[in-house]
Amino acid sequence: MRILFTIAHFYNPSGEGKHASQRNDPQPRLNALTACVTALQALYGKSQSMIDISECATIPANQSQQHEIDIVICTTQGYHLLPQLPVQPRCFMHHATKCEPLLLGFECQAVLRACLNKYDYFCYLEDDLVLHDPWFFSKLKWFTHHGGNGNLLQPNRYEIAPKGAVFKAYVDGDLAESATSPFQNVEEQRQLMGKIMEQTVAFERALNPHSGCYFLNAEQMAHWAKQSHFLDRDTSFIGPLESAATLGIMRTFRVYKSTPAYANFLEIQHFGTSFLNLIGNKVRVPEAG
């Protein structure tokens, strides 16, 4: 299987500091992008081995999960950390643009469209997202096999912290229905159920379809690219970052996420603890009953 990953990456320390991409210390952003790229190569690329101790040699490993992958990192106006990225340069390709920083996600869409018919999966990630599941694409294929290409499964985004109020928190809980009702009808096929490895899993139409990423098979990508709203740079869903990542897919597909009881069926880590730190502060913790 051939997989194309596009990553929107931006860093400008002279910014206001509201986002991690604008703060004075570049190391957290560099760590996040390093983890993002390394995980993609380690989980889905062909550089995977097992050490045969008796022979003092390596042998291939995980051949059934190895794919041909390409990673394209999209940047703008020279504001990036790619020269400092501690990975082999052959791990990724650099696509430089001159767009407004908040619109980088749309430049990733243009790259995906330019590569139609060349890949089996077309993917977008913000530069602080890290995958940990080698069976991620197998789960996506299982979902579309049973649900059809009109249904798109989004991962639940989470953060972890060793000293937080909780060790793990999923950060994209439900929005008010009015936030997405102009773009989707969540009552259409509201819930799906499936069984995998003898385990029942429940999926619901996402009141918050945003995950900072998406993963489309070739048929889904081709269908989206044909829509009149594709690459229209509409930013009417929350803001430019959220719209670039989510508005197009929400208009095109029935977007699902696994329900809270099965949240880790398909998930992706958000690097850092910016959301998790809200728990006990702006986000209340239920009292023990």
Side-chain angles (χ1 to χ4, degrees):
M1 190 164 71
R2 298 206 67 200
I3 306 173
L4 174 61
F5 296 97
T6 59
I7 300 171
H9 168 58
F10 175 78
Y11 178 73
N12 178 15
S14 64
E16 61 183 13
K18 179 182 178 181
H19 300 287
S21 59
Q22 299 171 317
R23 294 171 189 157
N24 289 329
D25 182 6
Q27 198 59 49
R29 206 62 179 180
L30 196 58
N31 291 345
L33 181 58
T34 301
C36 175
V37 172
T38 302
L40 297 180
Q41 290 287 358
L43 290 170
Y44 313 115
K46 292 190 173 181
S47 183
Q48 302 185 52
S49 298
M50 178 180 292
I51 297 176
D52 185 329
I53 296 175
S54 66
E55 296 293 333
C56 292
T58 60
I59 59 174
N62 297 323
Q63 293 94 319
S64 66
Q65 297 290 341
Q66 292 178 8
H67 310 291
E68 296 280 352
I69 72 170
D70 287 321
I71 300 172
V72 178
I73 301 179
C74 297
T75 68
T76 186
Q77 303 174 34
Y79 294 121
H80 61 81
L81 295 169
L82 297 189
Q84 296 102 289
L85 196 64
V87 300
Q88 298 177 14
R90 62 182 175 84
C91 286
F92 65 90
M93 293 173 279
H94 181 199
H95 179 70
T97 76
K98 295 182 180 180
C99 74
E100 289 299 314
L102 293 176
L103 301 180
L104 256 179
F106 293 112
E107 298 302 312
C108 290
Q109 290 179 20
V111 171
L112 294 174
R113 182 174 63 180
C115 295
L116 283 174
N117 302 317
K118 296 179 181 179
Y119 294 89
D120 301 296
Y121 268 91
F122 295 78
C123 314
Y124 166 76
L125 302 93
E126 294 174 355
D127 62 355
D128 56 1
L129 297 180
V130 186
L131 282 164
H132 296 281
D133 185 359
W135 290 84
F136 189 88
F137 288 95
S138 296
K139 293 175 180 178
L140 289 176
K141 289 179 69 175
W142 170 84
F143 183 83
T144 53
H145 173 74
H146 291 282
N149 287 326
N151 296 336
L152 177 64
L153 184 61
Q154 283 282 80
N156 285 302
R157 194 167 54 150
Y158 69 91
E159 291 180 350
I160 55 175
K163 296 183 179 180
V166 297
F167 282 106
K168 181 179 186 179
Y170 292 93
V171 303
D172 296 309
D174 287 351
L175 299 170
E177 192 162 336
S178 59
T180 64
S181 59
F183 315 113
Q184 66 171 358
N185 175 16
V186 296
E187 295 304 322
E188 183 183 1
Q189 297 185 27
R190 181 110 196 195
Q191 187 175 78
L192 298 175
M193 300 290 291
K195 196 168 187 178
I196 186 168
M197 296 177 70
E198 306 307 318
Q199 171 70 55
T200 299
V201 185
F203 308 92
E204 283 187 343
R205 292 293 303 276
L207 284 171
N208 186 355
H210 183 66
S211 298
C213 57
Y214 50 78
F215 307 84
L216 310 178
N217 65 32
E219 291 78 11
Q220 290 172 324
M221 185 66 219
H223 176 67
W224 182 25
K226 291 177 182 177
Q227 305 308 304
S228 60
H229 57 256
F230 182 79
L231 210 54
D232 62 2
R233 292 177 170 80
D234 184 346
T235 61
S236 58
F237 174 60
I238 302 179
L241 287 175
E242 294 82 4
S243 294
T246 306
L247 182 54
I249 61 171
M250 177 169 44
R251 283 175 162 172
T252 308
F253 306 101
R254 290 180 294 270
V255 178
Y256 292 85
K257 290 183 179 179
S258 51
T259 62
Y262 310 94
N264 65 2
F265 176 80
L266 199 79
E267 63 181 13
I268 191 167
Q269 182 184 3
H270 183 249
F271 194 89
T273 58
S274 57
F275 290 99
L276 197 150
N277 288 341
L278 298 175
I279 298 178
N281 183 10
K282 293 184 178 180
V283 177
R284 66 181 183 273
V285 179
E287 296 181 3

mmCIF file with all atom_site columns, all heavy atoms in Angstrom, residues 144-164:
data_model
loop_
_atom_site.group_PDB
_atom_site.id
_atom_site.type_symbol
_atom_site.label_atom_id
_atom_site.label_alt_id
_atom_site.label_comp_id
_atom_site.label_asym_id
_atom_site.label_entity_id
_atom_site.label_seq_id
_atom_site.pdbx_PDB_ins_code
_atom_site.Cartn_x
_atom_site.Cartn_y
_atom_site.Cartn_z
_atom_site.occupancy
_atom_site.B_iso_or_equiv
_atom_site.pdbx_formal_charge
_atom_site.auth_seq_id
_atom_site.auth_comp_id
_atom_site.auth_asym_id
_atom_site.auth_atom_id
_atom_site.pdbx_PDB_model_num
ATOM 1   N N   . THR A 1 144 ? -14.324 1.293  6.483  1.00 0.00 ? 144 THR A N   1
ATOM 2   C CA  . THR A 1 144 ? -14.913 1.643  5.190  1.00 0.00 ? 144 THR A CA  1
ATOM 3   C C   . THR A 1 144 ? -15.410 0.404  4.443  1.00 0.00 ? 144 THR A C   1
ATOM 4   O O   . THR A 1 144 ? -16.361 0.487  3.667  1.00 0.00 ? 144 THR A O   1
ATOM 5   C CB  . THR A 1 144 ? -13.923 2.417  4.307  1.00 0.00 ? 144 THR A CB  1
ATOM 6   O OG1 . THR A 1 144 ? -12.690 1.691  4.204  1.00 0.00 ? 144 THR A OG1 1
ATOM 7   C CG2 . THR A 1 144 ? -13.647 3.789  4.883  1.00 0.00 ? 144 THR A CG2 1
ATOM 8   N N   . HIS A 1 145 ? -14.785 -0.738 4.691  1.00 0.00 ? 145 HIS A N   1
ATOM 9   C CA  . HIS A 1 145 ? -15.261 -1.976 4.069  1.00 0.00 ? 145 HIS A CA  1
ATOM 10  C C   . HIS A 1 145 ? -16.693 -2.271 4.506  1.00 0.00 ? 145 HIS A C   1
ATOM 11  O O   . HIS A 1 145 ? -17.535 -2.702 3.695  1.00 0.00 ? 145 HIS A O   1
ATOM 12  C CB  . HIS A 1 145 ? -14.350 -3.136 4.447  1.00 0.00 ? 145 HIS A CB  1
ATOM 13  C CG  . HIS A 1 145 ? -14.848 -4.482 3.985  1.00 0.00 ? 145 HIS A CG  1
ATOM 14  N ND1 . HIS A 1 145 ? -14.799 -4.884 2.667  1.00 0.00 ? 145 HIS A ND1 1
ATOM 15  C CD2 . HIS A 1 145 ? -15.429 -5.514 4.681  1.00 0.00 ? 145 HIS A CD2 1
ATOM 16  C CE1 . HIS A 1 145 ? -15.314 -6.092 2.561  1.00 0.00 ? 145 HIS A CE1 1
ATOM 17  N NE2 . HIS A 1 145 ? -15.703 -6.500 3.764  1.00 0.00 ? 145 HIS A NE2 1
ATOM 18  N N   . HIS A 1 146 ? -16.977 -2.032 5.777  1.00 0.00 ? 146 HIS A N   1
ATOM 19  C CA  . HIS A 1 146 ? -18.305 -2.338 6.299  1.00 0.00 ? 146 HIS A CA  1
ATOM 20  C C   . HIS A 1 146 ? -19.262 -1.156 6.193  1.00 0.00 ? 146 HIS A C   1
ATOM 21  O O   . HIS A 1 146 ? -20.480 -1.354 6.060  1.00 0.00 ? 146 HIS A O   1
ATOM 22  C CB  . HIS A 1 146 ? -18.204 -2.789 7.761  1.00 0.00 ? 146 HIS A CB  1
ATOM 23  C CG  . HIS A 1 146 ? -17.560 -4.126 7.934  1.00 0.00 ? 146 HIS A CG  1
ATOM 24  N ND1 . HIS A 1 146 ? -18.216 -5.305 7.708  1.00 0.00 ? 146 HIS A ND1 1
ATOM 25  C CD2 . HIS A 1 146 ? -16.292 -4.465 8.293  1.00 0.00 ? 146 HIS A CD2 1
ATOM 26  C CE1 . HIS A 1 146 ? -17.399 -6.332 7.917  1.00 0.00 ? 146 HIS A CE1 1
ATOM 27  N NE2 . HIS A 1 146 ? -16.218 -5.845 8.275  1.00 0.00 ? 146 HIS A NE2 1
ATOM 28  N N   . GLY A 1 147 ? -18.732 0.073  6.248  1.00 0.00 ? 147 GLY A N   1
ATOM 29  C CA  . GLY A 1 147 ? -19.611 1.241  6.257  1.00 0.00 ? 147 GLY A CA  1
ATOM 30  C C   . GLY A 1 147 ? -19.718 1.967  4.942  1.00 0.00 ? 147 GLY A C   1
ATOM 31  O O   . GLY A 1 147 ? -20.645 2.762  4.738  1.00 0.00 ? 147 GLY A O   1
ATOM 32  N N   . GLY A 1 148 ? -18.766 1.742  4.035  1.00 0.00 ? 148 GLY A N   1
ATOM 33  C CA  . GLY A 1 148 ? -18.784 2.440  2.758  1.00 0.00 ? 148 GLY A CA  1
ATOM 34  C C   . GLY A 1 148 ? -17.926 3.692  2.773  1.00 0.00 ? 148 GLY A C   1
ATOM 35  O O   . GLY A 1 148 ? -17.635 4.258  3.838  1.00 0.00 ? 148 GLY A O   1
ATOM 36  N N   . ASN A 1 149 ? -17.535 4.142  1.586  1.00 0.00 ? 149 ASN A N   1
ATOM 37  C CA  . ASN A 1 149 ? -16.649 5.299  1.483  1.00 0.00 ? 149 ASN A CA  1
ATOM 38  C C   . ASN A 1 149 ? -17.314 6.616  1.831  1.00 0.00 ? 149 ASN A C   1
ATOM 39  O O   . ASN A 1 149 ? -16.633 7.624  2.016  1.00 0.00 ? 149 ASN A O   1
ATOM 40  C CB  . ASN A 1 149 ? -16.067 5.383  0.068  1.00 0.00 ? 149 ASN A CB  1
ATOM 41  C CG  . ASN A 1 149 ? -15.021 4.325  -0.190 1.00 0.00 ? 149 ASN A CG  1
ATOM 42  O OD1 . ASN A 1 149 ? -14.266 3.948  0.706  1.00 0.00 ? 149 ASN A OD1 1
ATOM 43  N ND2 . ASN A 1 149 ? -14.969 3.823  -1.422 1.00 0.00 ? 149 ASN A ND2 1
ATOM 44  N N   . GLY A 1 150 ? -18.639 6.618  1.924  1.00 0.00 ? 150 GLY A N   1
ATOM 45  C CA  . GLY A 1 150 ? -19.329 7.834  2.338  1.00 0.00 ? 150 GLY A CA  1
ATOM 46  C C   . GLY A 1 150 ? -19.194 8.114  3.818  1.00 0.00 ? 150 GLY A C   1
ATOM 47  O O   . GLY A 1 150 ? -19.504 9.218  4.275  1.00 0.00 ? 150 GLY A O   1
ATOM 48  N N   . ASN A 1 151 ? -18.721 7.123  4.577  1.00 0.00 ? 151 ASN A N   1
ATOM 49  C CA  . ASN A 1 151 ? -18.501 7.272  6.013  1.00 0.00 ? 151 ASN A CA  1
ATOM 50  C C   . ASN A 1 151 ? -17.008 7.403  6.286  1.00 0.00 ? 151 ASN A C   1
ATOM 51  O O   . ASN A 1 151 ? -16.219 6.574  5.812  1.00 0.00 ? 151 ASN A O   1
ATOM 52  C CB  . ASN A 1 151 ? -19.060 6.070  6.778  1.00 0.00 ? 151 ASN A CB  1
ATOM 53  C CG  . ASN A 1 151 ? -20.566 5.948  6.646  1.00 0.00 ? 151 ASN A CG  1
ATOM 54  O OD1 . ASN A 1 151 ? -21.246 6.931  6.379  1.00 0.00 ? 151 ASN A OD1 1
ATOM 55  N ND2 . ASN A 1 151 ? -21.080 4.745  6.835  1.00 0.00 ? 151 ASN A ND2 1
ATOM 56  N N   . LEU A 1 152 ? -16.634 8.425  7.026  1.00 0.00 ? 152 LEU A N   1
ATOM 57  C CA  . LEU A 1 152 ? -15.235 8.673  7.343  1.00 0.00 ? 152 LEU A CA  1
ATOM 58  C C   . LEU A 1 152 ? -15.026 8.578  8.844  1.00 0.00 ? 152 LEU A C   1
ATOM 59  O O   . LEU A 1 152 ? -15.711 9.249  9.618  1.00 0.00 ? 152 LEU A O   1
ATOM 60  C CB  . LEU A 1 152 ? -14.816 10.058 6.848  1.00 0.00 ? 152 LEU A CB  1
ATOM 61  C CG  . LEU A 1 152 ? -13.380 10.485 7.169  1.00 0.00 ? 152 LEU A CG  1
ATOM 62  C CD1 . LEU A 1 152 ? -12.368 9.578  6.475  1.00 0.00 ? 152 LEU A CD1 1
ATOM 63  C CD2 . LEU A 1 152 ? -13.154 11.941 6.795  1.00 0.00 ? 152 LEU A CD2 1
ATOM 64  N N   . LEU A 1 153 ? -14.078 7.747  9.259  1.00 0.00 ? 153 LEU A N   1
ATOM 65  C CA  . LEU A 1 153 ? -13.766 7.593  10.677 1.00 0.00 ? 153 LEU A CA  1
ATOM 66  C C   . LEU A 1 153 ? -12.596 8.493  11.039 1.00 0.00 ? 153 LEU A C   1
ATOM 67  O O   . LEU A 1 153 ? -11.523 8.400  10.446 1.00 0.00 ? 153 LEU A O   1
ATOM 68  C CB  . LEU A 1 153 ? -13.429 6.135  10.988 1.00 0.00 ? 153 LEU A CB  1
ATOM 69  C CG  . LEU A 1 153 ? -13.173 5.813  12.462 1.00 0.00 ? 153 LEU A CG  1
ATOM 70  C CD1 . LEU A 1 153 ? -14.399 6.117  13.313 1.00 0.00 ? 153 LEU A CD1 1
ATOM 71  C CD2 . LEU A 1 153 ? -12.753 4.350  12.631 1.00 0.00 ? 153 LEU A CD2 1
ATOM 72  N N   . GLN A 1 154 ? -12.809 9.356  12.029 1.00 0.00 ? 154 GLN A N   1
ATOM 73  C CA  . GLN A 1 154 ? -11.776 10.247 12.537 1.00 0.00 ? 154 GLN A CA  1
ATOM 74  C C   . GLN A 1 154 ? -11.219 9.703  13.851 1.00 0.00 ? 154 GLN A C   1
ATOM 75  O O   . GLN A 1 154 ? -11.964 9.138  14.665 1.00 0.00 ? 154 GLN A O   1
ATOM 76  C CB  . GLN A 1 154 ? -12.347 11.647 12.776 1.00 0.00 ? 154 GLN A CB  1
ATOM 77  C CG  . GLN A 1 154 ? -12.545 12.473 11.513 1.00 0.00 ? 154 GLN A CG  1
ATOM 78  C CD  . GLN A 1 154 ? -11.226 13.042 11.022 1.00 0.00 ? 154 GLN A CD  1
ATOM 79  O OE1 . GLN A 1 154 ? -10.433 12.353 10.367 1.00 0.00 ? 154 GLN A OE1 1
ATOM 80  N NE2 . GLN A 1 154 ? -10.974 14.296 11.332 1.00 0.00 ? 154 GLN A NE2 1
ATOM 81  N N   . PRO A 1 155 ? -9.928  9.875  14.101 1.00 0.00 ? 155 PRO A N   1
ATOM 82  C CA  . PRO A 1 155 ? -9.371  9.433  15.380 1.00 0.00 ? 155 PRO A CA  1
ATOM 83  C C   . PRO A 1 155 ? -9.728  10.392 16.508 1.00 0.00 ? 155 PRO A C   1
ATOM 84  O O   . PRO A 1 155 ? -9.934  11.586 16.287 1.00 0.00 ? 155 PRO A O   1
ATOM 85  C CB  . PRO A 1 155 ? -7.857  9.441  15.122 1.00 0.00 ? 155 PRO A CB  1
ATOM 86  C CG  . PRO A 1 155 ? -7.665  10.489 14.078 1.00 0.00 ? 155 PRO A CG  1
ATOM 87  C CD  . PRO A 1 155 ? -8.892  10.419 13.206 1.00 0.00 ? 155 PRO A CD  1
ATOM 88  N N   . ASN A 1 156 ? -9.803  9.868  17.714 1.00 0.00 ? 156 ASN A N   1
ATOM 89  C CA  . ASN A 1 156 ? -9.953  10.692 18.906 1.00 0.00 ? 156 ASN A CA  1
ATOM 90  C C   . ASN A 1 156 ? -8.580  11.206 19.321 1.00 0.00 ? 156 ASN A C   1
ATOM 91  O O   . ASN A 1 156 ? -7.641  10.427 19.501 1.00 0.00 ? 156 ASN A O   1
ATOM 92  C CB  . ASN A 1 156 ? -10.575 9.880  20.045 1.00 0.00 ? 156 ASN A CB  1
ATOM 93  C CG  . ASN A 1 156 ? -12.057 9.651  19.844 1.00 0.00 ? 156 ASN A CG  1
ATOM 94  O OD1 . ASN A 1 156 ? -12.824 10.598 19.729 1.00 0.00 ? 156 ASN A OD1 1
ATOM 95  N ND2 . ASN A 1 156 ? -12.471 8.389  19.784 1.00 0.00 ? 156 ASN A ND2 1
ATOM 96  N N   . ARG A 1 157 ? -8.474  12.504 19.494 1.00 0.00 ? 157 ARG A N   1
ATOM 97  C CA  . ARG A 1 157 ? -7.201  13.138 19.833 1.00 0.00 ? 157 ARG A CA  1
ATOM 98  C C   . ARG A 1 157 ? -7.066  13.215 21.356 1.00 0.00 ? 157 ARG A C   1
ATOM 99  O O   . ARG A 1 157 ? -8.006  13.592 22.048 1.00 0.00 ? 157 ARG A O   1
ATOM 100 C CB  . ARG A 1 157 ? -7.169  14.538 19.208 1.00 0.00 ? 157 ARG A CB  1
ATOM 101 C CG  . ARG A 1 157 ? -5.832  15.202 19.166 1.00 0.00 ? 157 ARG A CG  1
ATOM 102 C CD  . ARG A 1 157 ? -5.845  16.432 18.268 1.00 0.00 ? 157 ARG A CD  1
ATOM 103 N NE  . ARG A 1 157 ? -6.879  17.382 18.620 1.00 0.00 ? 157 ARG A NE  1
ATOM 104 C CZ  . ARG A 1 157 ? -6.782  18.699 18.436 1.00 0.00 ? 157 ARG A CZ  1
ATOM 105 N NH1 . ARG A 1 157 ? -5.691  19.222 17.894 1.00 0.00 ? 157 ARG A NH1 1
ATOM 106 N NH2 . ARG A 1 157 ? -7.782  19.492 18.760 1.00 0.00 ? 157 ARG A NH2 1
ATOM 107 N N   . TYR A 1 158 ? -5.883  12.874 21.873 1.00 0.00 ? 158 TYR A N   1
ATOM 108 C CA  . TYR A 1 158 ? -5.701  12.832 23.329 1.00 0.00 ? 158 TYR A CA  1
ATOM 109 C C   . TYR A 1 158 ? -4.355  13.419 23.735 1.00 0.00 ? 158 TYR A C   1
ATOM 110 O O   . TYR A 1 158 ? -3.448  13.590 22.913 1.00 0.00 ? 158 TYR A O   1
ATOM 111 C CB  . TYR A 1 158 ? -5.797  11.393 23.846 1.00 0.00 ? 158 TYR A CB  1
ATOM 112 C CG  . TYR A 1 158 ? -4.639  10.497 23.424 1.00 0.00 ? 158 TYR A CG  1
ATOM 113 C CD1 . TYR A 1 158 ? -3.501  10.361 24.217 1.00 0.00 ? 158 TYR A CD1 1
ATOM 114 C CD2 . TYR A 1 158 ? -4.683  9.792  22.227 1.00 0.00 ? 158 TYR A CD2 1
ATOM 115 C CE1 . TYR A 1 158 ? -2.441  9.547  23.824 1.00 0.00 ? 158 TYR A CE1 1
ATOM 116 C CE2 . TYR A 1 158 ? -3.632  8.979  21.830 1.00 0.00 ? 158 TYR A CE2 1
ATOM 117 C CZ  . TYR A 1 158 ? -2.507  8.866  22.637 1.00 0.00 ? 158 TYR A CZ  1
ATOM 118 O OH  . TYR A 1 158 ? -1.450  8.073  22.246 1.00 0.00 ? 158 TYR A OH  1
ATOM 119 N N   . GLU A 1 159 ? -4.259  13.732 25.021 1.00 0.00 ? 159 GLU A N   1
ATOM 120 C CA  . GLU A 1 159 ? -2.995  14.143 25.632 1.00 0.00 ? 159 GLU A CA  1
ATOM 121 C C   . GLU A 1 159 ? -2.736  13.266 26.851 1.00 0.00 ? 159 GLU A C   1
ATOM 122 O O   . GLU A 1 159 ? -3.669  12.735 27.459 1.00 0.00 ? 159 GLU A O   1
ATOM 123 C CB  . GLU A 1 159 ? -3.040  15.611 26.069 1.00 0.00 ? 159 GLU A CB  1
ATOM 124 C CG  . GLU A 1 159 ? -3.091  16.589 24.919 1.00 0.00 ? 159 GLU A CG  1
ATOM 125 C CD  . GLU A 1 159 ? -3.126  18.039 25.371 1.00 0.00 ? 159 GLU A CD  1
ATOM 126 O OE1 . GLU A 1 159 ? -3.309  18.297 26.579 1.00 0.00 ? 159 GLU A OE1 1
ATOM 127 O OE2 . GLU A 1 159 ? -2.978  18.924 24.498 1.00 0.00 ? 159 GLU A OE2 1
ATOM 128 N N   . ILE A 1 160 ? -1.464  13.120 27.205 1.00 0.00 ? 160 ILE A N   1
ATOM 129 C CA  . ILE A 1 160 ? -1.085  12.375 28.404 1.00 0.00 ? 160 ILE A CA  1
ATOM 130 C C   . ILE A 1 160 ? -0.130  13.214 29.245 1.00 0.00 ? 160 ILE A C   1
ATOM 131 O O   . ILE A 1 160 ? 0.597   14.065 28.716 1.00 0.00 ? 160 ILE A O   1
ATOM 132 C CB  . ILE A 1 160 ? -0.423  11.016 28.067 1.00 0.00 ? 160 ILE A CB  1
ATOM 133 C CG1 . ILE A 1 160 ? 0.788   11.215 27.141 1.00 0.00 ? 160 ILE A CG1 1
ATOM 134 C CG2 . ILE A 1 160 ? -1.433  10.079 27.426 1.00 0.00 ? 160 ILE A CG2 1
ATOM 135 C CD1 . ILE A 1 160 ? 1.545   9.931  26.864 1.00 0.00 ? 160 ILE A CD1 1
ATOM 136 N N   . ALA A 1 161 ? -0.154  12.982 30.564 1.00 0.00 ? 161 ALA A N   1
ATOM 137 C CA  . ALA A 1 161 ? 0.730   13.721 31.468 1.00 0.00 ? 161 ALA A CA  1
ATOM 138 C C   . ALA A 1 161 ? 0.973   12.885 32.717 1.00 0.00 ? 161 ALA A C   1
ATOM 139 O O   . ALA A 1 161 ? 0.022   12.377 33.316 1.00 0.00 ? 161 ALA A O   1
ATOM 140 C CB  . ALA A 1 161 ? 0.124   15.060 31.859 1.00 0.00 ? 161 ALA A CB  1
ATOM 141 N N   . PRO A 1 162 ? 2.238   12.734 33.122 1.00 0.00 ? 162 PRO A N   1
ATOM 142 C CA  . PRO A 1 162 ? 2.523   11.918 34.311 1.00 0.00 ? 162 PRO A CA  1
ATOM 143 C C   . PRO A 1 162 ? 2.069   12.566 35.611 1.00 0.00 ? 162 PRO A C   1
ATOM 144 O O   . PRO A 1 162 ? 1.842   11.874 36.597 1.00 0.00 ? 162 PRO A O   1
ATOM 145 C CB  . PRO A 1 162 ? 4.052   11.784 34.280 1.00 0.00 ? 162 PRO A CB  1
ATOM 146 C CG  . PRO A 1 162 ? 4.519   12.972 33.500 1.00 0.00 ? 162 PRO A CG  1
ATOM 147 C CD  . PRO A 1 162 ? 3.456   13.229 32.474 1.00 0.00 ? 162 PRO A CD  1
ATOM 148 N N   . LYS A 1 163 ? 1.905   13.896 35.627 1.00 0.00 ? 163 LYS A N   1
ATOM 149 C CA  . LYS A 1 163 ? 1.527   14.585 36.863 1.00 0.00 ? 163 LYS A CA  1
ATOM 150 C C   . LYS A 1 163 ? 0.234   15.365 36.713 1.00 0.00 ? 163 LYS A C   1
ATOM 151 O O   . LYS A 1 163 ? -0.060  16.252 37.521 1.00 0.00 ? 163 LYS A O   1
ATOM 152 C CB  . LYS A 1 163 ? 2.653   15.530 37.297 1.00 0.00 ? 163 LYS A CB  1
ATOM 153 C CG  . LYS A 1 163 ? 3.947   14.827 37.668 1.00 0.00 ? 163 LYS A CG  1
ATOM 154 C CD  . LYS A 1 163 ? 4.992   15.816 38.165 1.00 0.00 ? 163 LYS A CD  1
ATOM 155 C CE  . LYS A 1 163 ? 6.284   15.103 38.559 1.00 0.00 ? 163 LYS A CE  1
ATOM 156 N NZ  . LYS A 1 163 ? 7.319   16.048 39.044 1.00 0.00 ? 163 LYS A NZ  1
ATOM 157 N N   . GLY A 1 164 ? -0.547  15.069 35.701 1.00 0.00 ? 164 GLY A N   1
ATOM 158 C CA  . GLY A 1 164 ? -1.788  15.797 35.487 1.00 0.00 ? 164 GLY A CA  1
ATOM 159 C C   . GLY A 1 164 ? -2.905  15.331 36.405 1.00 0.00 ? 164 GLY A C   1
ATOM 160 O O   . GLY A 1 164 ? -2.764  14.368 37.169 1.00 0.00 ? 164 GLY A O   1
#
